[in-house]
Amino acid sequence: MTDTTDPATTAASATHAGRGRWDHTPGAVSGLTATGGLATVELTWHSYRPRHGQLVDHYEVYVSERADRGDLAHSATLLGRTLYPHLTHRVGPEPRKRHYTVVAVVSSGARTRPARPVSAVNARSVAAGRAVARVGDFDHKGLEFALSPDQSARYRTAFPAGVDYRYGTSTPGRDWSYLHPGPSDAWGGRKEHTFTLRFDLAAAPKDDLACALWLIDAHATAAGAAEVTLNGRPVRTLQFQGGATRGSLEGDATRVGSALKPSYYEFPLAAGLFTAGENVLRLRKTSGSWIAYDALGIFATQ
């Protein structure tokens, strides 16, 4: 799994892009911190206050997987630009150490010196383990699914009985809807909808497995809940975080400027819930409005 970013340039090349040299405006961004979490690294820093009445036009955030003994900003890659003193770096399931710095660009185009670099390691996702069954890629995108990115109006025609997906045979682009409607959605018939994931096991596992459900977005004020069952037995009731209500229209949370608000849900599945032969995981949306999928999977974590 690679980083879900779209590096545009190196910091060194940015100094020759018509925005001046690094030291054209005094000082540097201060207070930069990086905190690794599940699928993310959260970056925050103090607002830069230019002299002589200028304003900050934007901040540029740079990332590198190599600790540079010299000037990190001249060997790192542009992660993104933001108007605000914070940025979320969305990353893959595997834990990796990354190094970050930030530059402020003022209204004249002059740039500060790079902030003192900081480092962080993202948390290990269960999706870094061996896949027992999965649908989609854990990459903060939902473009591989059926009807994506904006054809929810066709859902009841394409999936009149809900989604029923068999791992190893079905394909995401045909058999798994990017959007899972809830009982509040008129376009879904204002009823509960169940998404089913079927998979076969040669033998019941000896160790517990785990489930990972990543969303690229959800309804902002009515994300609602879903009940998860495995082989007919209740596993978990998921209360979804409110999103940005954009996931019904776009499917890439890594796009620069995307308003999507991903969320992540991971939980254990006891070995005793599984059986040799066919196993059936179901997600039934019991309340609220839609959720938009990034990926769903069951993994061996040992």
Side-chain angles (χ1 to χ4, degrees), residues 46-58:
H46 298 325
S47 296
Y48 177 73
R49 302 189 184 283
R51 300 178 184 177
H52 311 303
Q54 293 197 74
L55 301 175
V56 172
D57 184 78
H58 64 272

Side-chain angles (χ1 to χ4, degrees), residues 134-136 144-147 159 165 170-177:
R134 64 183 294 170
V135 186
E144 69 267 38
F145 296 123
L147 308 180
F159 299 97
Y165 188 100
S170 301
T171 60
R174 180 187 64 205
D175 301 312
W176 190 277
S177 171

